Amino acid sequence: MDTKDSAGSGFVGNVFDPNCPSRVVFARIGDKWASLVIQILADGPLRFSELRARVGVVTPKVLTQALRALERDGLLQRTVFAQVPPRVDYELTPLGATLLEPLAALRLWAEHNVSALLNARDAYDEARDAQILAP
């Protein structure tokens, strides 16, 4: 097994170690807006308004925070064009593009298993409610 990371630094994280910085990656990708933004940008650069429309119900403030965090982590690039009105495009970096395959697998799993998950949730809630209401 290769122990080199993709940047070639030789450091490989261990998410099971509570002190490992690789847990930050899980937190970033686990953010509900970040994973959507990354997948939406798979088709190429988008302006803020286009991105927001495709993400759906997200406030401009929350989307801006997610975009800044993704930019800070090197997963997307923000390009400002000097024109009137100013134009800003967001696009994946090569590092961000490496997340497309694992996120696509997670999205596929979610889409194929959402019914089973919701049924399990309902069954759990019903059993819990019956237990609470039992004399």
Side-chain angles (χ1 to χ4, degrees):
M1 181 172 161
D2 187 5
T3 59
K4 290 275 188 196
D5 71 331
S6 63
S9 71
F11 175 78
V12 175
N14 175 359
V15 296
F16 297 110
D17 177 349
N19 298 314
C20 183
S22 62
R23 286 191 173 198
V24 172
V25 176
F26 265 43
R28 176 68 55 236
I29 294 160
D31 174 80
K32 76 180 190 178
W33 304 117
S35 60
L36 290 173
V37 166
I38 290 167
Q39 292 178 84
I40 289 168
L41 290 175
D43 295 333
L46 290 174
R47 296 174 80 165
F48 184 89
S49 58
E50 297 167 325
L51 188 54
R52 183 169 178 236
R54 293 197 48 198
V55 169
V57 291
V58 61
T59 66
K61 178 183 176 182
V62 170
L63 181 56
T64 298
Q65 290 169 340
L67 292 169
R68 284 183 184 156
L70 290 167
E71 182 180 15
R72 181 175 183 241
D73 289 342
L75 300 174
L76 66 79
Q77 177 178 328
R78 178 179 182 264
T79 304
V80 180
F81 296 92
Q83 61 186 52
V84 178
R87 176 178 163 189
V88 179
D89 282 358
Y90 295 90
E91 64 184 312
L92 293 177
T93 63
L95 180 61
T98 65
L99 283 168
L100 292 173
E101 186 176 341
L103 287 175
L106 181 59
R107 185 184 74 238
L108 186 65
W109 183 91
E111 291 170 350
H112 283 92
N113 291 287
V114 65
S115 292
L117 188 140
L118 293 175
N119 289 338
R121 181 183 290 178
D122 290 343
Y124 177 91
D125 290 347
E126 287 173 15
R128 185 167 186 262
D129 290 346
Q131 186 179 31
I132 290 172
L133 297 175

